[in-house]
């Protein structure tokens, strides 16, 4: 059954179908919420916010219209808004990419020096992402790690698609600027060339 079919069933009174929607999205929403909360040291409330997200979605399911957005996009929007609301309450608005988030990398290298360089590079990329403003950081995480398209990200962040593209462009430029000296370091080029 598709999400739309499940939602139709729920709207018609078959509340057991909501358990299927939770099963489909619980791990992704929990992961997303945890990533947004970790650097604020609030990851201990990630499960609560995840449950709150599904509760809010359930309470509002009758107002959901799948012609405007997919259920997953709508759910991520609720999750993000719940996290931001909690961060405002906690007076901590910094949302960071945590150290456990898997940074996309090339296939693992066998030389220890290359493994160390790759780990250092991943750490520096993570730090550069953490230094981005909240909307740029959220857009980048949704695009690169959650693999969402521009339209979904625009809906979640309540922006236009062109604004999302602009945010992502500025985020990538900022990361490039932060990492430029690291990338241009001749010693690293020599170490990278050891296996050629």
């Amino acid at each position: 059954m598709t999400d739309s079919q499940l939602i139709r069933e729920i709207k018609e009174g078959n509340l057991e179908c909501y358990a299927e929607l939770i099963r489909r999205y619980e791990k992704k929403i929990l992961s997303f919420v945890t990533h947004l909360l970790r650097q604020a040291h609030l990851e201990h409330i990630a499960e609560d916010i995840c449950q709150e997200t599904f509760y809010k979605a359930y309470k509002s399911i009758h107002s959901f219209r799948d012609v405007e957005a997919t259920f997953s996009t709508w759910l991520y929007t609720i999750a993000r808004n719940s996290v931001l609301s909690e961060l405002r309450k906690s007076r901590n608005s910094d949302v960071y990419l945590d150290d456990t988030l898997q940074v996309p990398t090339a296939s693992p290298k066998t030389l220890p020096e290359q493994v160390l360089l790759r780990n250092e590079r991943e750490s520096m990329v993570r730090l550069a992402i953490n230094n981005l403003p909240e909307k740029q950081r959220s857009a980048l995480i949704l695009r690169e790690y959650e693999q969402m398209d521009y339209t979904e990200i625009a809906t979640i962040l309540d922006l236009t698609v062109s604004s999302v593209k602009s945010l992502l462009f500025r985020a990538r430029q900022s990361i490039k600027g932060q990492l430029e000296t690291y990338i241009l370091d001749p010693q690293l080029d020599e170490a990278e060339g050891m296996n050629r």
Side-chain angles (χ1 to χ4, degrees):
M1 236 184 209
T2 67
D3 290 352
S4 295
Q5 291 169 327
L6 286 171
I7 290 167
R8 256 184 259 120
E9 288 286 322
I10 294 165
K11 287 180 177 181
E12 291 173 6
N14 186 353
L15 303 182
E16 286 141 24
C17 288
Y18 197 67
E20 174 61 20
L21 286 175
I22 291 173
R23 188 189 62 72
R24 287 182 186 181
Y25 293 103
E26 187 173 31
K27 286 182 182 176
K28 286 183 174 190
I29 294 296
L30 181 59
S31 173
F32 178 66
V33 166
T34 301
H35 292 316
L36 293 178
L37 290 171
R38 178 134 318 139
Q39 281 303 104
H41 304 292
L42 294 173
E43 65 269 23
H44 62 280
I45 62 170
E47 285 186 21
D48 292 341
I49 291 180
C50 184
Q51 288 176 1
E52 180 183 333
T53 298
F54 283 102
Y55 176 74
K56 287 177 179 177
Y58 176 75
K59 294 296 275 182
S60 303
I61 199 89
H62 290 286
S63 65
F64 172 72
R65 292 190 306 262
D66 58 0
V67 293
E68 294 176 8
T70 63
F71 178 74
S72 63
T73 300
W74 186 63
L75 199 57
Y76 272 97
T77 302
I78 293 170
R80 180 179 178 271
N81 290 341
S82 296
V83 168
L84 293 177
S85 174
E86 189 59 41
L87 290 173
R88 276 192 293 277
K89 282 185 216 168
S90 301
R91 299 194 193 284
N92 187 348
S93 62
D94 288 333
V95 182
Y96 291 104
L97 180 68
D98 70 272
D99 291 337
T100 63
L101 186 62
Q102 201 70 342
V103 175
T105 59
S107 62
K109 307 286 188 215
T110 54
L111 291 175
E113 296 87 4
Q114 290 173 327
V115 171
L116 284 172
L117 284 171
R118 188 181 68 239
N119 290 343
E120 184 179 346
R121 192 177 311 121
E122 287 176 12
S123 178
M124 293 190 76
V125 168
R126 213 176 276 113
L127 181 62
I129 292 171
N130 287 343
N131 289 332
L132 294 172
E134 187 273 325
K135 280 201 175 184
Q136 287 181 20
R137 191 169 41 243
S138 292
L140 196 69
I141 290 170
L142 290 169
R143 178 71 178 163
E144 301 300 331
Y145 299 99
E146 299 296 328
Q147 302 296 306
M148 291 190 173
D149 64 33
Y150 296 123
T151 306
E152 291 175 309
I153 297 168
T155 302
I156 291 169
L157 299 180
D158 194 26
L159 298 169
T160 63
V161 170
S162 60
S163 295
V164 167
K165 288 179 180 180
S166 177
L167 274 176
L168 289 168
F169 175 78
R170 289 194 314 265
R172 290 174 179 133
Q173 288 299 108
S174 176
I175 290 171
K176 181 181 175 187
Q178 291 179 62
L179 299 177
E180 208 156 36
T181 56
Y182 177 78
I183 293 169
L184 297 176
D185 188 337
Q187 292 174 335
L188 293 175
D189 288 342
E190 285 177 27
E192 294 268 344
M194 289 174 65
N195 202 21
R196 289 184 188 148

PDB file of all heavy atoms in Angstrom, residues 140-173:
ATOM      1  N   LEU A 140      21.461  21.298   3.573  1.00  0.00           N
ATOM      2  CA  LEU A 140      22.546  20.408   3.155  1.00  0.00           C
ATOM      3  C   LEU A 140      22.353  18.994   3.695  1.00  0.00           C
ATOM      4  O   LEU A 140      22.539  18.013   2.975  1.00  0.00           O
ATOM      5  CB  LEU A 140      23.896  20.980   3.604  1.00  0.00           C
ATOM      6  CG  LEU A 140      25.115  20.382   2.927  1.00  0.00           C
ATOM      7  CD1 LEU A 140      25.159  20.785   1.449  1.00  0.00           C
ATOM      8  CD2 LEU A 140      26.385  20.839   3.616  1.00  0.00           C
ATOM      9  N   ILE A 141      21.953  18.868   4.949  1.00  0.00           N
ATOM     10  CA  ILE A 141      21.717  17.544   5.539  1.00  0.00           C
ATOM     11  C   ILE A 141      20.583  16.845   4.806  1.00  0.00           C
ATOM     12  O   ILE A 141      20.682  15.666   4.462  1.00  0.00           O
ATOM     13  CB  ILE A 141      21.418  17.661   7.056  1.00  0.00           C
ATOM     14  CG1 ILE A 141      22.684  18.074   7.813  1.00  0.00           C
ATOM     15  CG2 ILE A 141      20.891  16.332   7.603  1.00  0.00           C
ATOM     16  CD1 ILE A 141      22.451  18.436   9.261  1.00  0.00           C
ATOM     17  N   LEU A 142      19.498  17.574   4.539  1.00  0.00           N
ATOM     18  CA  LEU A 142      18.359  16.969   3.842  1.00  0.00           C
ATOM     19  C   LEU A 142      18.733  16.546   2.423  1.00  0.00           C
ATOM     20  O   LEU A 142      18.309  15.498   1.950  1.00  0.00           O
ATOM     21  CB  LEU A 142      17.175  17.934   3.815  1.00  0.00           C
ATOM     22  CG  LEU A 142      16.505  18.181   5.161  1.00  0.00           C
ATOM     23  CD1 LEU A 142      15.530  19.348   5.065  1.00  0.00           C
ATOM     24  CD2 LEU A 142      15.800  16.931   5.662  1.00  0.00           C
ATOM     25  N   ARG A 143      19.545  17.341   1.754  1.00  0.00           N
ATOM     26  CA  ARG A 143      19.915  17.037   0.364  1.00  0.00           C
ATOM     27  C   ARG A 143      20.958  15.917   0.281  1.00  0.00           C
ATOM     28  O   ARG A 143      20.792  14.946  -0.444  1.00  0.00           O
ATOM     29  CB  ARG A 143      20.454  18.303  -0.309  1.00  0.00           C
ATOM     30  CG  ARG A 143      20.922  18.102  -1.728  1.00  0.00           C
ATOM     31  CD  ARG A 143      19.773  17.882  -2.662  1.00  0.00           C
ATOM     32  NE  ARG A 143      20.278  17.730  -4.022  1.00  0.00           N
ATOM     33  CZ  ARG A 143      19.596  17.223  -5.000  1.00  0.00           C
ATOM     34  NH1 ARG A 143      18.357  16.841  -4.796  1.00  0.00           N
ATOM     35  NH2 ARG A 143      20.112  17.110  -6.191  1.00  0.00           N
ATOM     36  N   GLU A 144      22.044  16.062   1.022  1.00  0.00           N
ATOM     37  CA  GLU A 144      23.172  15.141   0.882  1.00  0.00           C
ATOM     38  C   GLU A 144      23.040  13.861   1.699  1.00  0.00           C
ATOM     39  O   GLU A 144      23.531  12.824   1.287  1.00  0.00           O
ATOM     40  CB  GLU A 144      24.485  15.843   1.246  1.00  0.00           C
ATOM     41  CG  GLU A 144      24.790  17.063   0.396  1.00  0.00           C
ATOM     42  CD  GLU A 144      24.917  16.763  -1.090  1.00  0.00           C
ATOM     43  OE1 GLU A 144      25.307  15.638  -1.455  1.00  0.00           O
ATOM     44  OE2 GLU A 144      24.609  17.663  -1.893  1.00  0.00           O
ATOM     45  N   TYR A 145      22.397  13.933   2.858  1.00  0.00           N
ATOM     46  CA  TYR A 145      22.338  12.766   3.729  1.00  0.00           C
ATOM     47  C   TYR A 145      20.982  12.082   3.709  1.00  0.00           C
ATOM     48  O   TYR A 145      20.894  10.874   3.836  1.00  0.00           O
ATOM     49  CB  TYR A 145      22.733  13.137   5.160  1.00  0.00           C
ATOM     50  CG  TYR A 145      24.141  13.667   5.204  1.00  0.00           C
ATOM     51  CD1 TYR A 145      24.391  15.036   5.235  1.00  0.00           C
ATOM     52  CD2 TYR A 145      25.227  12.807   5.164  1.00  0.00           C
ATOM     53  CE1 TYR A 145      25.681  15.527   5.228  1.00  0.00           C
ATOM     54  CE2 TYR A 145      26.521  13.288   5.158  1.00  0.00           C
ATOM     55  CZ  TYR A 145      26.740  14.649   5.195  1.00  0.00           C
ATOM     56  OH  TYR A 145      28.019  15.133   5.181  1.00  0.00           O
ATOM     57  N   GLU A 146      19.911  12.869   3.558  1.00  0.00           N
ATOM     58  CA  GLU A 146      18.576  12.289   3.480  1.00  0.00           C
ATOM     59  C   GLU A 146      18.149  12.077   2.035  1.00  0.00           C
ATOM     60  O   GLU A 146      17.080  11.535   1.772  1.00  0.00           O
ATOM     61  CB  GLU A 146      17.561  13.182   4.209  1.00  0.00           C
ATOM     62  CG  GLU A 146      17.838  13.368   5.688  1.00  0.00           C
ATOM     63  CD  GLU A 146      17.743  12.088   6.502  1.00  0.00           C
ATOM     64  OE1 GLU A 146      16.934  11.211   6.141  1.00  0.00           O
ATOM     65  OE2 GLU A 146      18.478  11.961   7.486  1.00  0.00           O
ATOM     66  N   GLN A 147      18.973  12.544   1.063  1.00  0.00           N
ATOM     67  CA  GLN A 147      18.753  12.348  -0.369  1.00  0.00           C
ATOM     68  C   GLN A 147      17.409  12.887  -0.852  1.00  0.00           C
ATOM     69  O   GLN A 147      16.748  12.290  -1.687  1.00  0.00           O
ATOM     70  CB  GLN A 147      18.871  10.859  -0.731  1.00  0.00           C
ATOM     71  CG  GLN A 147      20.205  10.235  -0.370  1.00  0.00           C
ATOM     72  CD  GLN A 147      21.360  10.836  -1.147  1.00  0.00           C
ATOM     73  OE1 GLN A 147      21.321  10.860  -2.352  1.00  0.00           O
ATOM     74  NE2 GLN A 147      22.349  11.343  -0.449  1.00  0.00           N
ATOM     75  N   MET A 148      16.996  14.036  -0.323  1.00  0.00           N
ATOM     76  CA  MET A 148      15.724  14.643  -0.732  1.00  0.00           C
ATOM     77  C   MET A 148      15.933  15.547  -1.939  1.00  0.00           C
ATOM     78  O   MET A 148      17.014  16.108  -2.123  1.00  0.00           O
ATOM     79  CB  MET A 148      15.126  15.440   0.417  1.00  0.00           C
ATOM     80  CG  MET A 148      14.657  14.578   1.542  1.00  0.00           C
ATOM     81  SD  MET A 148      13.729  15.541   2.717  1.00  0.00           S
ATOM     82  CE  MET A 148      13.144  14.247   3.774  1.00  0.00           C
ATOM     83  N   ASP A 149      14.875  15.704  -2.725  1.00  0.00           N
ATOM     84  CA  ASP A 149      14.973  16.607  -3.871  1.00  0.00           C
ATOM     85  C   ASP A 149      14.666  18.044  -3.425  1.00  0.00           C
ATOM     86  O   ASP A 149      14.224  18.289  -2.301  1.00  0.00           O
ATOM     87  CB  ASP A 149      14.087  16.152  -5.037  1.00  0.00           C
ATOM     88  CG  ASP A 149      12.603  16.180  -4.722  1.00  0.00           C
ATOM     89  OD1 ASP A 149      12.149  17.051  -3.960  1.00  0.00           O
ATOM     90  OD2 ASP A 149      11.872  15.340  -5.266  1.00  0.00           O
ATOM     91  N   TYR A 150      14.915  18.993  -4.331  1.00  0.00           N
ATOM     92  CA  TYR A 150      14.767  20.411  -4.000  1.00  0.00           C
ATOM     93  C   TYR A 150      13.346  20.763  -3.553  1.00  0.00           C
ATOM     94  O   TYR A 150      13.155  21.559  -2.637  1.00  0.00           O
ATOM     95  CB  TYR A 150      15.157  21.285  -5.194  1.00  0.00           C
ATOM     96  CG  TYR A 150      16.603  21.169  -5.596  1.00  0.00           C
ATOM     97  CD1 TYR A 150      16.955  20.800  -6.887  1.00  0.00           C
ATOM     98  CD2 TYR A 150      17.626  21.420  -4.685  1.00  0.00           C
ATOM     99  CE1 TYR A 150      18.289  20.691  -7.268  1.00  0.00           C
ATOM    100  CE2 TYR A 150      18.960  21.308  -5.053  1.00  0.00           C
ATOM    101  CZ  TYR A 150      19.282  20.950  -6.345  1.00  0.00           C
ATOM    102  OH  TYR A 150      20.600  20.841  -6.700  1.00  0.00           O
ATOM    103  N   THR A 151      12.364  20.171  -4.194  1.00  0.00           N
ATOM    104  CA  THR A 151      10.973  20.480  -3.865  1.00  0.00           C
ATOM    105  C   THR A 151      10.640  20.042  -2.442  1.00  0.00           C
ATOM    106  O   THR A 151       9.996  20.780  -1.688  1.00  0.00           O
ATOM    107  CB  THR A 151      10.022  19.794  -4.871  1.00  0.00           C
ATOM    108  OG1 THR A 151      10.415  20.166  -6.194  1.00  0.00           O
ATOM    109  CG2 THR A 151       8.588  20.189  -4.640  1.00  0.00           C
ATOM    110  N   GLU A 152      11.082  18.847  -2.070  1.00  0.00           N
ATOM    111  CA  GLU A 152      10.833  18.360  -0.708  1.00  0.00           C
ATOM    112  C   GLU A 152      11.523  19.252   0.319  1.00  0.00           C
ATOM    113  O   GLU A 152      10.926  19.607   1.346  1.00  0.00           O
ATOM    114  CB  GLU A 152      11.342  16.927  -0.559  1.00  0.00           C
ATOM    115  CG  GLU A 152      10.556  15.900  -1.334  1.00  0.00           C
ATOM    116  CD  GLU A 152      11.177  14.521  -1.254  1.00  0.00           C
ATOM    117  OE1 GLU A 152      12.394  14.390  -1.524  1.00  0.00           O
ATOM    118  OE2 GLU A 152      10.449  13.566  -0.936  1.00  0.00           O
ATOM    119  N   ILE A 153      12.760  19.626   0.042  1.00  0.00           N
ATOM    120  CA  ILE A 153      13.500  20.488   0.968  1.00  0.00           C
ATOM    121  C   ILE A 153      12.813  21.843   1.085  1.00  0.00           C
ATOM    122  O   ILE A 153      12.659  22.381   2.191  1.00  0.00           O
ATOM    123  CB  ILE A 153      14.970  20.651   0.516  1.00  0.00           C
ATOM    124  CG1 ILE A 153      15.681  19.299   0.534  1.00  0.00           C
ATOM    125  CG2 ILE A 153      15.704  21.656   1.405  1.00  0.00           C
ATOM    126  CD1 ILE A 153      17.030  19.288  -0.150  1.00  0.00           C
ATOM    127  N   ALA A 154      12.360  22.372  -0.036  1.00  0.00           N
ATOM    128  CA  ALA A 154      11.662  23.667  -0.033  1.00  0.00           C
ATOM    129  C   ALA A 154      10.416  23.598   0.843  1.00  0.00           C
ATOM    130  O   ALA A 154      10.141  24.519   1.628  1.00  0.00           O
ATOM    131  CB  ALA A 154      11.294  24.069  -1.459  1.00  0.00           C
ATOM    132  N   THR A 155       9.688  22.513   0.752  1.00  0.00           N
ATOM    133  CA  THR A 155       8.482  22.349   1.559  1.00  0.00           C
ATOM    134  C   THR A 155       8.831  22.271   3.045  1.00  0.00           C
ATOM    135  O   THR A 155       8.204  22.933   3.875  1.00  0.00           O
ATOM    136  CB  THR A 155       7.709  21.082   1.124  1.00  0.00           C
ATOM    137  OG1 THR A 155       7.392  21.205  -0.272  1.00  0.00           O
ATOM    138  CG2 THR A 155       6.438  20.911   1.914  1.00  0.00           C
ATOM    139  N   ILE A 156       9.835  21.480   3.369  1.00  0.00           N
ATOM    140  CA  ILE A 156      10.229  21.311   4.774  1.00  0.00           C
ATOM    141  C   ILE A 156      10.713  22.628   5.372  1.00  0.00           C
ATOM    142  O   ILE A 156      10.364  22.980   6.498  1.00  0.00           O
ATOM    143  CB  ILE A 156      11.310  20.223   4.910  1.00  0.00           C
ATOM    144  CG1 ILE A 156      10.708  18.854   4.597  1.00  0.00           C
ATOM    145  CG2 ILE A 156      11.948  20.220   6.301  1.00  0.00           C
ATOM    146  CD1 ILE A 156      11.723  17.737   4.443  1.00  0.00           C
ATOM    147  N   LEU A 157      11.513  23.377   4.611  1.00  0.00           N
ATOM    148  CA  LEU A 157      12.085  24.622   5.130  1.00  0.00           C
ATOM    149  C   LEU A 157      11.184  25.830   4.887  1.00  0.00           C
ATOM    150  O   LEU A 157      11.536  26.942   5.258  1.00  0.00           O
ATOM    151  CB  LEU A 157      13.467  24.868   4.501  1.00  0.00           C
ATOM    152  CG  LEU A 157      14.536  23.804   4.778  1.00  0.00           C
ATOM    153  CD1 LEU A 157      15.841  24.190   4.100  1.00  0.00           C
ATOM    154  CD2 LEU A 157      14.741  23.611   6.267  1.00  0.00           C
ATOM    155  N   ASP A 158      10.039  25.601   4.240  1.00  0.00           N
ATOM    156  CA  ASP A 158       9.081  26.662   3.923  1.00  0.00           C
ATOM    157  C   ASP A 158       9.742  27.753   3.080  1.00  0.00           C
ATOM    158  O   ASP A 158       9.693  28.942   3.401  1.00  0.00           O
ATOM    159  CB  ASP A 158       8.478  27.241   5.208  1.00  0.00           C
ATOM    160  CG  ASP A 158       7.247  28.091   4.921  1.00  0.00           C
ATOM    161  OD1 ASP A 158       6.587  27.854   3.891  1.00  0.00           O
ATOM    162  OD2 ASP A 158       6.961  29.005   5.720  1.00  0.00           O
ATOM    163  N   LEU A 159      10.378  27.309   1.994  1.00  0.00           N
ATOM    164  CA  LEU A 159      11.071  28.205   1.073  1.00  0.00           C
ATOM    165  C   LEU A 159      10.687  27.859  -0.357  1.00  0.00           C
ATOM    166  O   LEU A 159      10.044  26.847  -0.607  1.00  0.00           O
ATOM    167  CB  LEU A 159      12.595  28.030   1.228  1.00  0.00           C
ATOM    168  CG  LEU A 159      13.215  28.364   2.572  1.00  0.00           C
ATOM    169  CD1 LEU A 159      14.657  27.880   2.612  1.00  0.00           C
ATOM    170  CD2 LEU A 159      13.157  29.858   2.835  1.00  0.00           C
ATOM    171  N   THR A 160      11.133  28.679  -1.293  1.00  0.00           N
ATOM    172  CA  THR A 160      10.957  28.344  -2.702  1.00  0.00           C
ATOM    173  C   THR A 160      12.098  27.427  -3.124  1.00  0.00           C
ATOM    174  O   THR A 160      13.145  27.368  -2.463  1.00  0.00           O
ATOM    175  CB  THR A 160      10.983  29.609  -3.586  1.00  0.00           C
ATOM    176  OG1 THR A 160      12.283  30.203  -3.468  1.00  0.00           O
ATOM    177  CG2 THR A 160       9.901  30.598  -3.176  1.00  0.00           C
ATOM    178  N   VAL A 161      11.918  26.735  -4.244  1.00  0.00           N
ATOM    179  CA  VAL A 161      12.961  25.853  -4.758  1.00  0.00           C
ATOM    180  C   VAL A 161      14.214  26.665  -5.084  1.00  0.00           C
ATOM    181  O   VAL A 161      15.334  26.245  -4.791  1.00  0.00           O
ATOM    182  CB  VAL A 161      12.462  25.071  -6.005  1.00  0.00           C
ATOM    183  CG1 VAL A 161      13.603  24.343  -6.692  1.00  0.00           C
ATOM    184  CG2 VAL A 161      11.374  24.083  -5.596  1.00  0.00           C
ATOM    185  N   SER A 162      14.035  27.848  -5.658  1.00  0.00           N
ATOM    186  CA  SER A 162      15.212  28.667  -5.979  1.00  0.00           C
ATOM    187  C   SER A 162      15.942  29.109  -4.708  1.00  0.00           C
ATOM    188  O   SER A 162      17.172  29.198  -4.708  1.00  0.00           O
ATOM    189  CB  SER A 162      14.825  29.875  -6.845  1.00  0.00           C
ATOM    190  OG  SER A 162      13.909  30.689  -6.176  1.00  0.00           O
ATOM    191  N   SER A 163      15.211  29.351  -3.630  1.00  0.00           N
ATOM    192  CA  SER A 163      15.860  29.696  -2.358  1.00  0.00           C
ATOM    193  C   SER A 163      16.664  28.519  -1.817  1.00  0.00           C
ATOM    194  O   SER A 163      17.752  28.698  -1.270  1.00  0.00           O
ATOM    195  CB  SER A 163      14.826  30.115  -1.313  1.00  0.00           C
ATOM    196  OG  SER A 163      14.190  31.302  -1.694  1.00  0.00           O
ATOM    197  N   VAL A 164      16.131  27.318  -1.981  1.00  0.00           N
ATOM    198  CA  VAL A 164      16.848  26.112  -1.534  1.00  0.00           C
ATOM    199  C   VAL A 164      18.132  25.956  -2.343  1.00  0.00           C
ATOM    200  O   VAL A 164      19.202  25.701  -1.787  1.00  0.00           O
ATOM    201  CB  VAL A 164      15.963  24.855  -1.666  1.00  0.00           C
ATOM    202  CG1 VAL A 164      16.783  23.580  -1.509  1.00  0.00           C
ATOM    203  CG2 VAL A 164      14.844  24.893  -0.647  1.00  0.00           C
ATOM    204  N   LYS A 165      18.031  26.130  -3.657  1.00  0.00           N
ATOM    205  CA  LYS A 165      19.221  26.020  -4.504  1.00  0.00           C
ATOM    206  C   LYS A 165      20.261  27.062  -4.098  1.00  0.00           C
ATOM    207  O   LYS A 165      21.456  26.775  -4.039  1.00  0.00           O
ATOM    208  CB  LYS A 165      18.845  26.195  -5.976  1.00  0.00           C
ATOM    209  CG  LYS A 165      18.088  25.011  -6.538  1.00  0.00           C
ATOM    210  CD  LYS A 165      17.707  25.230  -7.990  1.00  0.00           C
ATOM    211  CE  LYS A 165      16.950  24.037  -8.548  1.00  0.00           C
ATOM    212  NZ  LYS A 165      16.561  24.227  -9.948  1.00  0.00           N
ATOM    213  N   SER A 166      19.795  28.259  -3.786  1.00  0.00           N
ATOM    214  CA  SER A 166      20.690  29.324  -3.344  1.00  0.00           C
ATOM    215  C   SER A 166      21.340  28.969  -2.001  1.00  0.00           C
ATOM    216  O   SER A 166      22.547  29.155  -1.817  1.00  0.00           O
ATOM    217  CB  SER A 166      19.912  30.631  -3.243  1.00  0.00           C
ATOM    218  OG  SER A 166      20.720  31.660  -2.769  1.00  0.00           O
ATOM    219  N   LEU A 167      20.543  28.456  -1.068  1.00  0.00           N
ATOM    220  CA  LEU A 167      21.073  28.038   0.237  1.00  0.00           C
ATOM    221  C   LEU A 167      22.146  26.965   0.058  1.00  0.00           C
ATOM    222  O   LEU A 167      23.206  27.020   0.686  1.00  0.00           O
ATOM    223  CB  LEU A 167      19.962  27.453   1.108  1.00  0.00           C
ATOM    224  CG  LEU A 167      19.123  28.377   1.954  1.00  0.00           C
ATOM    225  CD1 LEU A 167      18.027  27.587   2.667  1.00  0.00           C
ATOM    226  CD2 LEU A 167      19.961  29.135   2.959  1.00  0.00           C
ATOM    227  N   LEU A 168      21.844  25.987  -0.782  1.00  0.00           N
ATOM    228  CA  LEU A 168      22.796  24.900  -1.006  1.00  0.00           C
ATOM    229  C   LEU A 168      24.067  25.402  -1.684  1.00  0.00           C
ATOM    230  O   LEU A 168      25.173  24.985  -1.326  1.00  0.00           O
ATOM    231  CB  LEU A 168      22.158  23.780  -1.836  1.00  0.00           C
ATOM    232  CG  LEU A 168      21.105  22.962  -1.094  1.00  0.00           C
ATOM    233  CD1 LEU A 168      20.331  22.079  -2.058  1.00  0.00           C
ATOM    234  CD2 LEU A 168      21.746  22.123   0.002  1.00  0.00           C
ATOM    235  N   PHE A 169      23.912  26.329  -2.627  1.00  0.00           N
ATOM    236  CA  PHE A 169      25.081  26.905  -3.293  1.00  0.00           C
ATOM    237  C   PHE A 169      25.954  27.634  -2.268  1.00  0.00           C
ATOM    238  O   PHE A 169      27.170  27.436  -2.215  1.00  0.00           O
ATOM    239  CB  PHE A 169      24.643  27.868  -4.407  1.00  0.00           C
ATOM    240  CG  PHE A 169      25.799  28.582  -5.056  1.00  0.00           C
ATOM    241  CD1 PHE A 169      26.585  27.934  -6.000  1.00  0.00           C
ATOM    242  CD2 PHE A 169      26.117  29.897  -4.707  1.00  0.00           C
ATOM    243  CE1 PHE A 169      27.667  28.580  -6.588  1.00  0.00           C
ATOM    244  CE2 PHE A 169      27.190  30.547  -5.291  1.00  0.00           C
ATOM    245  CZ  PHE A 169      27.963  29.885  -6.235  1.00  0.00           C
ATOM    246  N   ARG A 170      25.324  28.476  -1.437  1.00  0.00           N
ATOM    247  CA  ARG A 170      26.085  29.216  -0.418  1.00  0.00           C
ATOM    248  C   ARG A 170      26.706  28.270   0.603  1.00  0.00           C
ATOM    249  O   ARG A 170      27.842  28.491   1.043  1.00  0.00           O
ATOM    250  CB  ARG A 170      25.187  30.249   0.267  1.00  0.00           C
ATOM    251  CG  ARG A 170      24.825  31.416  -0.637  1.00  0.00           C
ATOM    252  CD  ARG A 170      24.234  32.604   0.107  1.00  0.00           C
ATOM    253  NE  ARG A 170      23.216  32.280   1.077  1.00  0.00           N
ATOM    254  CZ  ARG A 170      21.904  32.309   0.850  1.00  0.00           C
ATOM    255  NH1 ARG A 170      21.451  32.633  -0.329  1.00  0.00           N
ATOM    256  NH2 ARG A 170      21.058  32.019   1.809  1.00  0.00           N
ATOM    257  N   ALA A 171      25.986  27.220   0.963  1.00  0.00           N
ATOM    258  CA  ALA A 171      26.523  26.242   1.924  1.00  0.00           C
ATOM    259  C   ALA A 171      27.761  25.560   1.345  1.00  0.00           C
ATOM    260  O   ALA A 171      28.793  25.445   2.021  1.00  0.00           O
ATOM    261  CB  ALA A 171      25.453  25.197   2.267  1.00  0.00           C
ATOM    262  N   ARG A 172      27.673  25.148   0.098  1.00  0.00           N
ATOM    263  CA  ARG A 172      28.813  24.472  -0.537  1.00  0.00           C
ATOM    264  C   ARG A 172      29.992  25.417  -0.713  1.00  0.00           C
ATOM    265  O   ARG A 172      31.144  25.024  -0.525  1.00  0.00           O
ATOM    266  CB  ARG A 172      28.378  23.864  -1.872  1.00  0.00           C
ATOM    267  CG  ARG A 172      27.448  22.670  -1.671  1.00  0.00           C
ATOM    268  CD  ARG A 172      26.902  22.143  -2.977  1.00  0.00           C
ATOM    269  NE  ARG A 172      26.045  20.994  -2.737  1.00  0.00           N
ATOM    270  CZ  ARG A 172      24.848  20.847  -3.287  1.00  0.00           C
ATOM    271  NH1 ARG A 172      24.377  21.754  -4.134  1.00  0.00           N
ATOM    272  NH2 ARG A 172      24.119  19.782  -3.011  1.00  0.00           N
ATOM    273  N   GLN A 173      29.704  26.679  -1.067  1.00  0.00           N
ATOM    274  CA  GLN A 173      30.765  27.680  -1.203  1.00  0.00           C
ATOM    275  C   GLN A 173      31.445  27.921   0.141  1.00  0.00           C
ATOM    276  O   GLN A 173      32.662  28.040   0.219  1.00  0.00           O
ATOM    277  CB  GLN A 173      30.208  28.998  -1.758  1.00  0.00           C
ATOM    278  CG  GLN A 173      29.820  28.950  -3.219  1.00  0.00           C
ATOM    279  CD  GLN A 173      30.996  28.621  -4.115  1.00  0.00           C
ATOM    280  OE1 GLN A 173      31.080  27.533  -4.651  1.00  0.00           O
ATOM    281  NE2 GLN A 173      31.907  29.544  -4.263  1.00  0.00           N
TER     282      GLN A 173
END
